[in-house]
């Protein structure tokens, strides 16, 4: 008997984002999670780069970083918060991702972000257009040749629609000589999250 799934894997954009980043990320690499949230992507990146790699995960909400830290601890992955201590594959940064380059100089092989608000959190606390664009500019400056940045975009609320339009307009202005951009979207679900992946060409 065929197993019934509540949400078919075909439309889980976070899973697709992780698959496409996993193709270019190896043990020992540097990776960045621009929006730690509940820690799903941070944990994925930490497992990909292993104990020899480094992950920086940003969030302005301390609650999000606490959730992420708990998830990492459960998985047996060492982490530090805001530079407290010397050990740890993952550094959790309680700051805006628009200050990314103040914390790391790259090059990063994998960068991930979920644009919207913390699942289960306050919908009023969302990523903002001007801050998001500044963070993405810095992220692309840090992205290694052959590296990928994956953005899961949530458009089910007005700020999300505004943000996605601005992000797509900005990405369309990038030269195809240096960047490849993939868009993955469910065609028959208008409000479903979709995926943008940016790859830096050699």
């Amino acid at each position: 008997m065929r197993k019934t799934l509540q949400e078919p894997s075909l439309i889980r954009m976070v899973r697709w984002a992780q698959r496409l980043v996993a193709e270019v990320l190896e043990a020992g690499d540097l990776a960045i999670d621009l929006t730690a949230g509940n820690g799903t992507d941070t944990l994925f990146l930490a497992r990909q780069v292993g104990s020899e790699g480094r992950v920086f995960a940003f969030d302005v909400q301390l609650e999000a970083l606490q959730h992420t830290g708990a998830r990492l601890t459960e998985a047996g992955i060492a982490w530090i918060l805001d530079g407290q201590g010397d050990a740890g594959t993952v550094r959790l940064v309680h700051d805006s991702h628009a200050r990314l380059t103040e914390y790391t100089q790259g090059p990063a092989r994998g960068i991930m972000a979920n644009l919207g608000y913390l699942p289960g959190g306050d919908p009023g606390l969302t990523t903002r257009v001007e801050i998001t664009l500044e963070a993405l500019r810095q992220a692309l400056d840090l992205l290694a040749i052959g590296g990928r940045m994956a953005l899961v975009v949530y458009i089910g609320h007005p700020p999300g629609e505004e943000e996605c339009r601005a992000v797509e307009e900005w990405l369309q202005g990038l030269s195809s000589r240096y960047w490849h951009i993939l868009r993955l979207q469910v065609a028959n679900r208008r409000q479903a999250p979709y995926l943008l992946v940016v790859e830096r060409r050699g």
Side-chain angles (χ1 to χ4, degrees):
M1 182 176 179
R2 179 176 296 176
K3 184 178 180 181
T4 301
L5 299 176
Q6 282 189 320
E7 185 182 12
S9 60
L10 184 62
I11 62 174
R12 292 181 184 168
M13 290 300 155
V14 171
R15 296 284 181 84
W16 281 108
Q18 292 179 354
R19 288 181 188 178
L20 290 168
V21 170
E23 290 182 354
V24 299
L25 201 56
E26 299 178 351
D29 283 339
L30 169 66
I32 299 169
D33 187 351
L34 295 174
T35 53
N38 285 321
T40 301
D41 288 334
T42 305
L43 176 58
F44 157 75
L45 293 171
R47 284 174 168 163
Q48 289 295 123
V49 303
S51 59
E52 296 180 0
R54 291 299 305 275
V55 176
F56 286 80
F58 290 77
D59 212 293
V60 294
Q61 297 182 71
L62 184 59
E63 176 189 6
L65 296 176
Q66 290 169 340
H67 287 315
T68 299
R71 177 167 282 188
L72 293 168
T73 297
E74 185 178 353
I77 295 173
W79 57 277
I80 56 175
L81 175 62
D82 282 337
Q84 298 174 4
D86 298 322
T89 297
V90 180
R91 179 176 178 182
L92 303 180
V93 183
H94 187 208
D95 201 352
S96 170
H97 47 207
R99 298 177 62 188
L100 170 61
T101 53
E102 296 182 24
Y103 293 90
T104 180
Q105 300 305 309
R109 293 284 300 176
I111 301 175
M112 303 187 74
N114 288 273
L115 305 184
Y117 59 88
L118 176 65
D122 182 357
L125 296 174
T126 70
T127 50
R128 304 293 183 183
V129 173
E130 64 280 0
I131 295 174
T132 295
L133 290 177
E134 177 57 32
L136 296 183
R137 290 187 191 101
Q138 293 183 30
L140 289 193
D141 284 343
L142 296 181
L143 194 63
I145 293 175
R148 290 176 182 170
M149 178 173 70
L151 310 174
V152 177
V153 183
Y154 294 85
I155 56 175
H157 56 110
E161 294 181 6
E162 177 188 1
E163 185 175 45
C164 80
R165 285 195 297 270
V167 168
E168 289 214 38
E169 181 178 344
W170 174 69
L171 289 177
Q172 288 168 7
L174 297 179
S175 171
S176 60
R177 181 178 178 182
Y178 302 107
W179 308 97
H180 282 159
I181 301 171
L182 168 73
R183 175 176 173 146
L184 182 61
Q185 186 169 23
V186 180
N188 60 348
R189 284 186 58 183
R190 183 178 176 275
Q191 295 298 315
Y194 65 94
L195 175 64
L196 296 167
V197 180
V198 184
E199 181 180 79
R200 187 167 200 159
R201 301 186 62 187

